Structure formats: C-alpha cells, structure tokens
Amino acid sequence: MCGITGVMYFEDREPALPMLQQMTDVIHHRGPNDSGFWTDNRIGLGFRRLSIIDLAEGHQPLANEDDSVWIIFNGEIYNYKELRAMLQDRGHRFRTHSDTEVIVHMYEEYGEDCVKHLRGMFGFVIWDKRKKQLFGARDHFGIKPFYYHVNDRQFVFGSEIKSLLAAEGMNRLIHTDSLMNYLTFQYVPEPHTMFYGIQKLPPAHYVKVTYDGEMTIQRYWDPMFEPVDRPFEEYVEQLREMLKDSVAHHMVSDVERGCFLSSGIDSTAIATHMRNIEPIRTFSVGFEGPNNETTIAAQTAQALGTDHYAKIITKEDFFACLPRAVWHQDEPVADPSAIALYHVAQLAREHVTVVLSGEGADELFGGYRIYREPLSLAPVERLPGSVKRMLNRLARMMPSGVKGRNYLLRGTTPLEQRFIGNARIFSEDMKAEVLRLDREMLRSYKNPLQIAGDYYAKTRHLDPVSRMQYIDLNLWMPGDILMKADKMTMAHSLELRVPFLDKELYEVARRIPAKYRIAGGTTKYIFRKAMEGIIPDFILNRPKLGFPVPLRDWLKGPTGGELVEQIKASGIEDYINMAAVERLAQKHRSGQGDFARHIWTIYMFALWHTTYMDELPVRTAAAVN
C-alpha cells in the first residue's frame, strides 16, 4: 500500500524535483517506509511506500529491462505469483519479487488490457517512453483512489487531492454542483470532487494521455448482475469455496496481518477464515450504550480464539480527531462511522500493518434492510396505474406522521425516484432552504435522481433488488464505503484489504438470483446459509449495526449548539443559509424531528472548508497527526 503522484506536461519541460518532493511529502502517511522519484522530459513520477511485499526490492518508480516503461503503483495484486509464472514462461525476465513489476510486464504483454487480468486493488500510472503515452488505471470496485486534474498545459494525478494541490498552478475552488449533490448523498458522487477542476477516475476505468494532451477514459469492466436460476445448494457451495479462496489470496504479505471485527456476520466470516489459516489479532471499537459492538465482538473473538483488542470511543475522543480526519479525507464525507473507522485503524496500527475487513458483502449479497422494500411494497406496486396515482395524491394530503402515509408514498413512487442509494440526507426542497445559491442552479444542475438514472437506464432488465444493489455498487460503495475505508486507514499507515470485493468472488455473486439474496424474512439469506457451520451460531442472524454513532443524542445537548457556532465561524455563509441551520438545530433539540444527519452533513462541509479553503492545505503528515 502506497501513495502515487506526478505530473505530465504537454510541452517540452521537465518537472522540478522540489515540486514532486512536496507532492509526495504531503502524503507521507500513505508510505512512511520509502520514497522515490523519476523525471524525464514532460513527465515526473513521485512515490511513497508502505512496505508490504518484497520488503527489500520493491522500490518505486520501477522500470522494465530497458527503462522504456516506468510505473508507480498503489495497491496489491493478489494473483501476482500466478501471473509472474505465466509471464516467465513467455520469456519475461524479472529483477524483483514484487507485484509491481508484474504489472509492468503484463502491460508489455497485453497493453491496456492488462487490467482485465489483475486480481486485486490498484491505482497506478505507467509511462510508456516508446509511445510517449501515460496510462493510468483504477481497480474494478474503486478500492484504491485515483484523482486527476487536466488543462491545456498539464495532467496532474495522485492518490490524494492534497497531493495535487501541492503542484504548481493549482487553484482551490468549490464545485457548486458537487456541493448540491453532497448534501443529498453525504459524499460527492464520481467522477466529480468538491474541488472544481479535480476529478476521480471512476472504478473499473483506465485513462490514456498522449504527448500532446489528448485524453481518453474507458471503462474496462462492469459489476452488472446476471442472475442464473441454478439450485440454491450449488450457489451455497460456490460461495463457501470462493470466499475461502479470496481470504487466502488477501492474506499474502511479508508483514503481520489482522482483522477488523464487529458484531456482524461479514467481518466474522473473514476473521474465521483467517483464523483457520494462522493465529490472528482482531480489533473493534464501540460507543457506550445499548448498541456497543465491542461486547459481541469480544464474545466472537473468544469463540474464534483470536488475540483481541477493543476500545470504547468517548464523545471527547470522537470530536477531538475530527480536524485530522477531515484533512485526511480530502473532501467532505458526512458518514459519522468514518470517525469510528479512524479510531479502529489507529488501534490496529499499534499491532499490525495489514488488516482485512468485511466491506462489500452488503452490496454483493443484499445486506441492507432497504433491499427488502420491494417485497414489502409489492401489494401496492401491483395495483393499476390509475389507482396508484389516486393513492399517491391521497397520501400527500395526509398530515406528516400519520401511520401508513410513508408506505403509500413509497409504494406509489417508482423505484427510480425513491432510491438513489443508502443515504438521502437533504431533499431538493430542503436544499433550496439551506443553500444560498441561485435558484436556477438548483433547477439546472445534474441532480441525484439524474445521476442514479444513468445506472437505472442500464438495468431495466433486472429485478428491483438487483437494480438497487447496482446503484449502490456504483455510487454508495466507492463514494462512501471505500472512500472512508482507504482514507481513514491510510491516515495511520495501515493497509486495509476487502476480500468480499474480489472479482473472482463477484463472478459467483453476480449470478445469484434475488430470491436467494432476500428471503426468509432476512437480508443476505444465501450468505447466511453459506456460513452455517463455519461461523458461531450466535452471529449468523444478528441484525446489522455498522458503527452506531450516538450522534442524535449528542446533538440534542450543548454539543449541538457548539457545532452550530463552528458552522457559523467556518466561512461558508456564501453557500449556506445560517438561519436555516439554526432552525434545523432548534427543531432537533426540541424533538420536532431528527435532523442530526442534516446538521452533521453541513458541519462536515464547514470543517472541510476551514481546512482546505481557509487554511493552507499542504501540510506534512507530522503536522496533523
């Protein structure tokens, strides 16, 4: 796990080494073990290394035998040994035992199609001196980040936005469309960022940039569901075997490994398979109260026989790390569980360098409760269109809070209009109240329904549950789940691996019919059945908690007022109506509704604005840790 950065000029000049050093120094936390640079006419590559595989020889930038192909690479390739053997049979010669060099030779062998053969997580850039072309790629699911900025003079790229901001000629401007979408999604959906002019290379895409600045972006893989009606038991057996295989591949490293462990089935399944291979350490965090995950996690660890470590996060702990966490995030992500992840990563890094975790299982196997909604709404959705329209009008006339109103509204609203992913914070009406932007901007921007609509258009042939999962695989997972996973673990120089997000495992998951995913009155039904006899019985059917941050209660007390004061002092009054924020806080305190997530979403934008717009964004890791 590492950090990459660099620049390509579209004129004859060589990037200055001091600038490249500044671009890499600011992401020191991604790779505290080593750094490297390489420059030539028009191209400069910078690298920070966290040593995981081939500790002695894995220095980057790395080149092929004749120095015609150079690479910087962030991530891990889990099938690199198999690929290396195949390449050697074809006459390729290797100087190291690293997975990085395998990518170089795969590029020589297959060109841009090399990415289709890689099993792992990656963000890399290759400079081809013969073609005078830059080739960059991001992994299938978007586990590893890839940011870029392009204009008529240069192409700047890196693992983190703060690295790009350290390059010469970079401006810091807010992308107002991104702000409007952030308020709904609680993250900025790909390919945009909160910075105008800085974008994310989407998951499963590669980019090519020619010597004269022509840029091409191409999708090379699509996580489309392709259900095949085969016997239930056949899928159960395939899942068991493929998860076992994926965990084994994800454990390849030359440093110590551990596992995040919550109270749920996903992380328990990963920890169980790891423990069957070797003794492991497990890590969990929780908050005081009835939903404290550390209690169940400790019982699970005892049943599995792991060396377990846990931490209770106090309110003071939670808020004390916010400035550092926001700096590491690069752009606002208003998911409170990101801060819990920051703490469990800090705990794990005291003992190991690599952790495995359960991200992705819900998106693959139908684990979110919202995925059960199509079944519950089916009686209403089967009604004639005229009846549904009448019921919809009737429901809108009912006072808010009347029993059955929400059910009727959702049942008479098309799926494409009611589901845009796992978070929907601000409605368009609420945004009109809280934003101080031109109303025409709110009417004309590409809004959340339109963004989700691009993916719905590709899934008309699928059942509603599969369509919802596809939305989350393309929006929620890279924008929230994987973004916070990468940034909050890398903040502590900890490599996180996600065995569920394995392309070979997904080849099984994508073919499982929805009737096997949502069944028996529960979610992830087939996965739970596949884990019977493998993980402890008391975990099999536990409800999903995630990191249940007690934000709602915190914001009802003095903390809520403190947050509002910080929002008012953050300098975002050109974008946010402060009177509207105070009204939300007052309604929340007086019990007129739960507006904790709305306040938190604005608060995280305010902290981000203070960090990246008011203060100098280019700070060394030592300055924020």
Side-chain angles (χ1 to χ4, degrees), residues 178-391:
S178 293
L179 172 59
M180 289 187 282
N181 278 308
Y182 160 78
L183 289 178
T184 294
F185 285 107
Q186 80 177 14
Y187 57 87
V188 177
E190 322 242 339
H192 300 295
T193 73
M194 194 63 82
F195 292 88
Y196 183 83
I198 296 178
Q199 293 189 291
K200 309 162 192 164
L201 182 67
H205 282 68
Y206 62 73
V207 58
K208 294 188 293 184
V209 187
T210 66
Y211 217 49
D212 57 3
E214 182 179 341
M215 185 176 75
T216 304
I217 293 178
Q218 180 70 41
R219 184 163 202 161
Y220 64 83
W221 184 80
D222 189 359
M224 181 62 69
F225 286 94
E226 300 171 349
V228 178
D229 199 356
R230 295 207 301 263
F232 183 84
E233 293 74 16
E234 186 176 323
Y235 280 119
V236 165
E237 188 58 33
Q238 284 185 321
L239 279 182
R240 286 175 176 161
E241 291 302 314
M242 284 310 304
L243 181 60
K244 180 179 177 181
D245 177 78
S246 180
V247 171
H249 274 81
H250 280 70
M251 289 182 70
V252 174
S253 74
D254 296 328
V255 295
E256 287 197 70
R257 300 158 292 271
C259 185
F260 288 161
L261 185 63
S262 69
S263 64
I265 186 175
D266 306 335
S267 61
T268 302
I270 301 298
T272 300
H273 284 295
M274 292 180 70
R275 183 64 185 89
N276 290 338
I277 296 173
E278 66 182 21
I280 62 166
R281 296 182 176 97
T282 51
F283 309 93
S284 65
V285 295
F287 298 88
E288 293 179 345
N291 292 325
N292 179 5
E293 287 216 318
T294 61
T295 303
I296 301 297
Q299 294 175 11
T300 305
Q302 184 176 17
L304 299 182
T306 71
D307 185 9
H308 188 63
Y309 300 84
K311 175 186 177 181
I312 299 298
I313 304 171
T314 66
K315 184 170 73 171
E316 291 71 27
D317 293 332
F318 186 87
F319 284 96
C321 75
L322 283 182
R324 297 190 298 275
V326 168
W327 184 83
H328 280 289
Q329 284 180 345
D330 276 339
E331 51 181 334
V333 176
D335 188 338
S337 68
I339 311 306
L341 184 55
Y342 180 94
H343 281 278
V344 74
Q346 186 178 50
L347 173 66
R349 190 61 178 92
E350 296 173 3
H351 305 275
V352 298
T353 309
V354 172
V355 290
L356 275 63
S357 188
E359 280 84 353
D362 293 315
E363 290 79 7
L364 266 62
F365 304 119
Y368 296 117
R369 285 191 292 269
I370 190 67
Y371 295 157
R372 295 172 58 184
E373 187 180 68
L375 282 177
S376 68
L377 296 179
V380 175
E381 291 187 324
R382 284 195 292 262
L383 295 172
S386 58
V387 176
K388 286 194 290 187
R389 287 191 291 272
M390 179 189 69
L391 289 175

Side-chain angles (χ1 to χ4, degrees), residues 452-511:
D454 291 343
Y455 298 104
Y456 275 123
K458 299 172 65 175
T459 60
R460 292 190 179 97
H461 62 292
L462 292 175
D463 60 90
V465 174
S466 297
R467 300 184 80 189
M468 295 167 77
Q469 288 179 246
Y470 187 75
I471 292 292
D472 279 337
L473 278 166
N474 284 278
L475 292 174
W476 167 257
M477 194 169 70
D480 185 294
I481 298 294
L482 295 178
M483 200 274 211
K484 70 186 182 190
D486 174 81
K487 297 295 176 58
M488 296 298 88
T489 53
M490 280 281 89
H492 303 288
S493 305
L494 179 74
E495 174 174 297
L496 182 137
R497 299 179 177 182
V498 282
F500 284 111
L501 296 180
D502 172 76
K503 70 169 188 173
E504 302 302 325
L505 176 60
Y506 190 70
E507 289 306 311
V508 176
R510 76 194 308 165
R511 290 177 169 80

